[in-house]
Amino acid sequence: MSVTNTSGRRKTAVARIYLKDGNGTITVNGKDYKEYFPTLPLQYIVGQSFEVAELVGQYDVQVNVAGGGIKGQAEAVRLAIAKAIVELDAEKKPALRAKGLMTRDMRMVERKKPGRRKARKKFQFSKR
């Protein structure tokens, strides 16, 4: 019984997962994923890779996730699980890619610039 180790990232969230044969339990930072991600949309995001690959209930997942917000963390876990599934079975990759689960979403928060209030917001202009 081998363990597959991959990572996924979204914004500033980083998820490291360990995938092994089992009965479908997903543990995130020592808690059940339904306890860690309390809302149904987030739970759906976490399990989406297994649903698309038709592997629900076949693997146990141990997740360590840090950084970012709760939605970014859920999407980081989804990417990591998709990468692990492809590592085990490369034939699942086209189905996962068609749903957009293999692509790293690289959008990040734009940094604040000096002399401005935020990244793009400027101070009020006074003509006179």
Side-chain angles (χ1 to χ4, degrees):
M1 179 165 86
S2 65
V3 177
T4 305
N5 179 14
T6 59
S7 65
R9 296 172 55 164
R10 172 72 173 99
K11 293 188 176 181
T12 57
V14 180
R16 293 171 295 149
I17 71 156
Y18 304 92
L19 188 89
K20 62 182 179 181
D21 291 330
N23 56 5
T25 60
I26 301 174
T27 309
V28 181
N29 291 350
K31 299 179 182 177
D32 183 53
Y33 83 104
K34 292 185 177 179
E35 184 180 340
Y36 191 86
F37 299 112
T39 63
L40 289 175
L42 294 176
Q43 293 170 14
Y44 173 75
I45 287 171
V46 170
Q48 193 174 5
S49 297
F50 285 126
E51 289 180 22
V52 171
E54 299 171 354
L55 297 173
V56 177
Q58 295 184 22
Y59 294 100
D60 288 344
V61 183
Q62 177 72 39
V63 182
N64 294 323
V65 66
I70 194 162
K71 177 143 190 206
Q73 288 183 351
E75 292 178 358
V77 171
R78 175 177 70 182
L79 176 62
I81 291 172
K83 286 168 63 175
I85 289 171
V86 169
E87 199 170 304
L88 291 173
D89 184 9
E91 293 178 7
K92 304 284 185 188
K93 188 171 184 176
L96 291 167
R97 182 165 293 287
K99 293 287 185 180
L101 304 182
M102 291 300 300
T103 305
R104 156 76 158 101
D105 192 347
M106 80 300 168
R107 293 177 293 172
M108 302 281 279
V109 176
E110 189 174 346
R111 77 176 195 88
K112 182 195 173 298
K113 314 299 190 304
R116 296 190 179 174
R117 290 178 188 259
K118 299 192 318 188
R120 297 189 180 212
K121 185 172 183 165
K122 299 169 180 66
F123 291 101
Q124 184 173 355
F125 176 72
S126 174
K127 193 164 189 177
R128 290 184 183 83

